[in-house]
C-alpha cells in the first residue's frame, strides 16, 4: 500500500484527490488548517483506508517542521507528495493590489510548497523512490490581466517543478505537474473574500472542471508504469482554450 501526503485536503481538488486515492488503495496523510474538515474527511474515508490528519498552516515553517517531525516511522515512508495547498487572493491591477494578499499567495503557493518538499523529499531519497506532484495552473503558463502575483506564484511552481525534476533524477524520484484551468472549488470564494456573487462570475455560462476532474488527472499521473513520468498535464474545461479564450455559450444548460 502506498502512502500519499496531500496538502490542502480540506476542500476542492485536494479533498477530491483524497477521496479518489482512498478508493484506489492509497494510505493518506491529509493536511490543512481546518481541523473539523480534516476530521470529517478522515471519518468518511476510514472504512476504505488508514488516514492521518495533520493540522498546520503551510506558511509557517515551524508548524510544517513540527508536523513532519511528529510522524511515526511507519508514516515517514511516504511514496507520494501532492503539493496542492494554494490560493489566489484578489484580482486587481498591480498598482492597486494588497501587499497582504501578495504575501499570503507567495507564502502559501511558493514558500509553503518549498517548506514541505524540503522535509519530505529527503525521506523519499532515503528510500530511493517517490513521486512529487505539484498542482500548478494555466496561470503558471500565461499571465492574464490583474492576475499578476497569483500568476507569478504559479509560474514559480512551474519553474520549481522543472528544477526538482532535474535534482531528483539521480534519486529515482518522479516529479510531475498537473496544471488545471478553471475548476469550481472554494478557489473563487477565497479569491473574492467570501463574496458569493463575485465568486460565481468566472463560471458564468461555462461548465467548469470539478475537483474530481482534476483528481482523475492526478491519479493518471500516479498510476503510470515505473519507467514513465508525466511531466505536466494541462487540463481545462472543454469551453476554455486557455486563460484568454472561453466559450461562454457552450453550456447548453445555462
Ligand atoms: P480550494 O480553496 O477549494 O482549496 C484550497 C486548499 O488549500 C484548502 O484545502 C486549504 O485548506 C488549503 N490551504 C490554503 N491555504 C493554506 C495554508 N496557509 N495552510 C494550509 N493549507 C492551506 O482551492 P482549489 O482546490 O481550487 O485549489 C487547490 C490548488 O489548485 C491550488 O494550488 C490552486 O492554485 C490550484 N488551482 C486551482 C484552480 C481552480 O480554478 N480552482 C485552477 C488551477 C490551479 P485550509 O483552508 O483548511 O487551510
Ligand atoms: C486558477 C485558474 O485561471 O483562475 O489557477 O488563474 S485561473
Amino acid at each position: 500500500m502506498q502512502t500519499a501526503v496531500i496538502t490542502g485536503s480540506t476542500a476542492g481538488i485536494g479533498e477530491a484527490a483524497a477521496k479518489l486515492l482512498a478508493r484506489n488503495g492509497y494510505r493518506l496523510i491529509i493536511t490543512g488548517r481546518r481541523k473539523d474538515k480534516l476530521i470529517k474527511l478522515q471519518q468518511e474515508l476510514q472504512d476504505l483506508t488508514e488516514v492521518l490528519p495533520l493540522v498546520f498552516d503551510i506558511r509557517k515553517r515551524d508548524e510544517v517542521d513540527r508536523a513532519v517531525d511528529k510522524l511515526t516511522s511507519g508514516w515517514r515512508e511516504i511514496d507520494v507528495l501532492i503539493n496542492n495547498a494554494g490560493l489566489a487572493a484578489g484580482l486587481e491591477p498591480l498598482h492597486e493590489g494588497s501587499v497582504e494578499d501578495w504575501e499570503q499567495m507567495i507564502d502559501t503557493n511558493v514558500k509553503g510548497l518549498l517548506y514541505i518538499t524540503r522535509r519530505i523529499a529527503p525521506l523519499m531519497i532515503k528510500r530511493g523512490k517517490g513521486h512529487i506532484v505539484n498542482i500548478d495552473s494555466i496561470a503558471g503558463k500565461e499571465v492574464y490581466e490583474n492576475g499578476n502575483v497569483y500568476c507569478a506564484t504559479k509560474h514559480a511552481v512551474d519553474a520549481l517543478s522543472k528544477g526538482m525534476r532535474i535534482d531528483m533524477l539521480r534519486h529515482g524520484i518522479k516529479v510531475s505537474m498537473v496544471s488545471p484551468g478553471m475548476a469550481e472549488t472554494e478557489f473563487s470564494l477565497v479569491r473574492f473574500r467570501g463574496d458569493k456573487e463575485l465568486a460565481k462570475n468566472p463560471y458564468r455560462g461555462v461548465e467548469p472542471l470539478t475537483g474530481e476532474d482534476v483528481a482523475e488527472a492526478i491519479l493518471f499521473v500516479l498510476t503510470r508504469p515505473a519507467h514513465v513520468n508525466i511531466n505536466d498535464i494541462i487540463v481545462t474545461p472543454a469551453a476554455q482554450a486557455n486563460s484568454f479564450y472561453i466559450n461562454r455559450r457552450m453550456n447548453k444548460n445555462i
Side-chain angles (χ1 to χ4, degrees), residues 2-213:
Q2 295 207 59
T3 300
V5 177
I6 307 173
T7 68
S9 337
T10 57
I13 294 167
E15 182 181 354
K19 290 178 181 171
L20 188 63
L21 264 60
R23 289 203 299 278
N24 282 272
Y26 287 80
R27 197 165 78 122
L28 298 177
I29 299 177
I30 55 174
T31 85
R33 288 165 301 179
R34 287 172 288 178
K35 185 176 179 185
D36 53 333
K37 293 223 168 210
L38 289 177
I39 299 299
K40 192 162 164 263
L41 185 60
Q42 179 192 31
Q43 285 165 351
E44 188 181 330
L45 300 181
Q46 69 192 0
D47 290 341
L48 290 173
T49 190
E50 226 181 325
V51 181
L52 177 68
L54 293 182
V55 183
F56 60 83
D57 185 332
I58 203 154
R59 291 171 296 178
K60 301 195 174 138
R61 190 173 152 200
D62 56 331
E63 288 190 21
V64 175
D65 285 347
R66 259 202 308 275
V68 177
D69 285 342
K70 271 198 318 212
L71 290 175
T72 55
S73 56
W75 283 107
R76 295 174 89 80
E77 299 194 349
I78 294 164
D79 301 284
V80 170
L81 168 62
I82 302 175
N83 277 319
N84 165 74
L87 81 159
L91 186 68
E92 286 99 26
L94 193 94
H95 58 283
E96 292 172 9
S98 141
V99 174
E100 288 73 28
D101 284 349
W102 299 349
E103 283 175 345
Q104 189 182 5
M105 290 187 278
I106 293 166
D107 289 353
T108 310
N109 303 356
V110 183
K111 290 167 72 180
L113 181 149
L114 286 170
Y115 294 157
I116 187 113
T117 306
R118 179 65 186 84
R119 291 306 309 273
I120 290 181
L123 302 176
M124 291 178 167
I125 288 171
K126 209 185 263 177
R127 299 173 68 226
K129 60 177 182 170
H131 197 160
I132 299 171
V133 182
N134 295 326
I135 307 305
D136 191 34
S137 168
I138 56 169
K141 319 294 174 187
E142 294 163 321
V143 179
Y144 53 84
E145 191 174 15
N146 299 333
N148 43 67
V149 175
Y150 177 65
C151 293
T153 65
K154 287 301 182 177
H155 275 68
V157 173
D158 185 85
L160 287 169
S161 302
K162 290 172 182 160
M164 276 181 212
R165 189 175 306 121
I166 298 165
D167 296 346
M168 299 291 147
L169 192 59
R170 73 185 61 192
H171 300 289
I173 316 284
K174 293 186 191 182
V175 179
S176 306
M177 263 183 284
V178 172
S179 306
M182 190 189 288
E184 194 165 13
T185 59
E186 292 183 5
F187 180 84
S188 244
L189 206 57
V190 171
R191 174 171 242 171
F192 296 110
R193 300 182 181 81
D195 184 324
K196 289 193 180 134
E197 282 312 305
L198 271 184
K200 278 190 214 149
N201 248 345
Y203 314 121
R204 202 171 20 90
V206 173
E207 184 169 351
L209 297 173
T210 61
E212 289 73 19
D213 294 326

Side-chain angles (χ1 to χ4, degrees), residues 242-253:
N242 57 28
S243 294
F244 311 104
Y245 293 96
I246 296 169
N247 180 352
R248 296 201 182 270
R249 290 187 203 91
M250 223 170 121
N251 182 358
K252 296 185 180 55
N253 301 320

